[in-house]
Amino acid sequence: MGIHVIKMPDLGEGIAEVEVVAWHVQPGDVVKEDQVLADVMTDKATVEIPSPVAGTITSLGGAIGQSLAVGAELIRLEVDGAGNLKDKGAPRAGQEPVTAAAAAAPAEEVAEPQLEAVAANEASGSASAPVSAPASRPAPVSRSAPLLRAEGDKPLAAPAVRQRAWDLGVELQFVAGSGPAGRITHADLDAHVAGHRGGAANGGPDERYAEQHGEHATQVIGLRRKIAEKMQEAKRNIPHFTYVEEVDVTELEALRLQLNARYGAERGKLTLLPLLMRAVVLALREFPMMSARYDDEHNLLTTYDAAHIGIAAQTDNGLMVPVVRHAESRDPWSSAAEIARLADAARNGKATRDELTGSTITITSLGALGGIVTTPVINRPEVAIVGVNRIVDRPVIRDGAMVARKMMNLSSSFDHRVIDGMVAAQFVQAIRGYLEFPATLFVE
């Protein structure tokens, strides 16, 4: 028997380190060749790490949420034969192998302190008292059977509860206590007051107005942490300015419905997004500096003839930006099909790194959720992002008469280091022109 050490592979594109976001194995597990061992997060995507050999896991190289450098020990296996490590089972210098219990420790450390927050605060009489994690988790106190004390027994309550009762004019003698030994808590006091104000429909205490004292801590790891880092970098490094313009999309919507009625069965239904993409592509021909990436470390602005349009998409794991490559070469139906494919891959966690990188300008839309104005954050190192707001029917004066029109706002942000305000406004006006006269989307 020998020891085989699997090191963090080089994933390319200058990646120096990755974050461990999931372990699919634990020490003692027997794995087969090509079996997935772990998921690691790069700057853009989650990558599965398979096992090159069969063997038995002896130790893991890091906890979930920990960053590992390329070339660092990822996992250690006991294998048939000599293996690739002579010193069997020896840990790396200055580092102990991480066992399954140790790998799970961070999650427990985050979750444990919040369990007794309410009880600790009630006992001390202060909602702001610090909470310490107990050595072991005590049995939960049942609140299903509040206790009423015998006549003459002094009610037990923290000073803060007594003060609240005094302020509310409530005699604690008549308040049922659900804490240890019948101690009266803030929740008991709330339930008593609510019950005497009419209570719930069944005559019980009305919990709708009960005070809440819980705290819930969640460790920010994986994609959520990458999103946070990228947003922070974008706001720290880019002087954003946002330009909002109102667009009349009445004719565009009429055209879209007509195209769907005529070609929807054979080509697929069109949403607004593919038509907006086409308008952006045509506007980029007039303003090529918008399809660009700015290297602020070297003061280098690179513009692209191609329009690689990122589409900001919300997934269960967080915000992702799949890229429709060469949008300039696609008609609206081709764009719609590619958007649907990429969105499905992103939602299912199957989008590759290539599908999530390389955009030169981004479109983001919260229109389906409402809102009339947004201030989108630029997808660094790009220099522009176009935001779509909802379409609403509004009264508009046309030829001296008030008519109902379908109106939509475009909220677009720009990097003021390289894009002047007038140029940004002209770019948005160009997009507006194509959308308000949609026949021009198909005229070269």
Side-chain angles (χ1 to χ4, degrees):
M1 302 293 287
I3 294 295
H4 186 96
V5 173
I6 300 174
K7 296 185 177 181
M8 182 62 65
D10 185 353
L11 301 177
E13 295 195 20
I15 296 173
E17 66 177 16
V18 298
E19 178 185 350
V20 179
V21 294
W23 286 111
H24 297 295
V25 294
Q26 296 296 335
D29 290 353
V30 177
V31 299
K32 301 178 181 179
E33 185 176 351
D34 294 328
Q35 180 177 335
V36 176
L37 303 175
D39 293 344
V40 298
M41 172 68 68
T42 68
D43 288 341
K44 287 288 186 179
T46 300
V47 180
E48 296 179 338
I49 305 297
S51 177
V53 297
T56 302
I57 305 296
T58 62
S59 66
L60 309 180
I64 293 177
Q66 180 178 343
S67 294
L68 295 179
V70 171
E73 180 176 316
L74 177 67
I75 209 162
R76 188 175 293 220
L77 304 92
E78 191 176 70
V79 298
D80 293 332
N84 66 356
L85 187 67
K86 293 182 180 180
D87 184 11
K88 180 177 178 179
R92 289 172 288 167
Q95 180 173 355
E96 293 292 333
V98 178
T99 64
E108 295 176 0
E109 291 171 0
V110 171
E112 193 70 29
Q114 66 196 19
L115 296 174
E116 298 304 314
V118 175
N121 289 340
E122 290 167 352
S124 65
S126 172
S128 61
V131 179
S132 300
S136 61
R137 183 177 300 178
V141 177
S142 173
R143 296 186 178 272
S144 60
L147 301 177
L148 278 172
R149 63 214 49 79
E151 184 177 355
D153 288 349
K154 183 179 180 180
L156 299 177
V161 176
R162 293 184 180 279
Q163 182 62 50
R164 282 194 62 218
W166 174 267
D167 294 340
L168 293 171
V170 173
E171 294 186 38
L172 290 179
Q173 181 65 38
F174 302 105
V175 179
S178 61
R183 177 183 292 274
I184 300 170
T185 67
H186 286 284
D188 297 329
L189 186 57
D190 292 331
H192 178 83
V193 173
H196 281 73
R197 288 176 179 168
N202 61 3
D206 191 342
E207 296 294 336
R208 295 176 299 172
Y209 303 102
E211 286 189 2
Q212 302 296 323
H213 299 277
E215 297 180 8
H216 309 278
T218 303
Q219 189 177 17
V220 180
I221 64 171
L223 180 60
R224 188 74 262 168
R225 184 161 78 179
K226 293 298 181 185
I227 292 172
E229 290 172 353
K230 286 183 66 65
M231 292 295 180
Q232 189 174 25
E233 288 176 359
K235 293 298 288 186
R236 181 189 299 119
N237 291 280
I238 299 175
H240 286 63
F241 78 94
T242 300
Y243 179 84
V244 181
E245 179 57 281
E246 189 177 55
V247 181
D248 186 339
V249 294
T250 307
E251 304 302 332
L252 182 69
E253 274 291 280
L255 175 62
R256 185 182 69 84
L257 293 175
Q258 186 178 18
L259 292 174
N260 284 340
R262 184 168 183 176
Y263 301 108
E266 57 186 271
R267 299 187 183 183
K269 299 287 187 178
L270 291 177
T271 64
L272 174 70
L273 187 53
L275 299 172
L276 175 62
M277 287 178 60
R278 188 60 188 170
V280 170
V281 165
L282 295 176
L284 288 175
R285 294 180 182 176
E286 304 174 50
F287 301 90
M289 73 290 293
M290 298 294 179
S291 181
R293 298 165 72 90
Y294 181 49
D295 182 349
D296 43 23
E297 292 185 4
H298 299 92
N299 292 319
L300 182 65
L301 178 68
T302 303
T303 59
Y304 298 85
D305 295 335
H308 302 316
I309 300 181
I311 305 296
Q314 186 66 39
T315 71
D316 292 340
N317 294 322
L319 180 66
M320 305 182 76
V321 187
V323 182
V324 178
R325 297 189 179 277
H326 291 288
E328 76 280 0
S329 67
R330 297 178 180 273
D331 64 23
W333 290 275
S334 173
S335 294
E338 182 67 357
I339 292 169
R341 185 190 71 81
L342 290 170
D344 184 66
R347 282 192 298 267
N348 295 324
K350 301 298 183 182
T352 66
R353 180 177 177 82
D354 288 343
E355 291 171 334
L356 296 171
T357 58
S359 56
T360 59
I361 189 171
T362 294
I363 295 175
T364 180
S365 174
L366 293 175
L369 301 176
I372 58 173
V373 172
T374 53
T375 55
V377 178
I378 296 170
N379 186 21
R380 186 172 182 255
E382 297 166 24
V383 300
I385 182 170
V386 178
V388 182
N389 298 116
R390 65 177 175 176
I391 298 175
V392 296
D393 290 327
R394 296 179 188 161
V396 177
I397 304 297
R398 291 173 64 91
D399 299 326
M402 182 178 293
V403 295
R405 304 291 290 181
K406 294 186 179 298
M407 308 299 294
M408 178 188 74
N409 286 350
L410 289 181
S411 302
S412 305
S413 294
F414 303 89
D415 186 338
H416 218 330
R417 296 172 300 180
V418 293
I419 303 296
D420 295 330
M422 186 180 71
V423 176
Q426 290 172 337
F427 174 66
V428 173
Q429 292 299 332
I431 296 175
R432 176 189 177 188
Y434 288 115
L435 296 179
E436 291 193 337
F437 299 92
T440 58
L441 294 174
F442 305 94
V443 175
E444 296 295 333

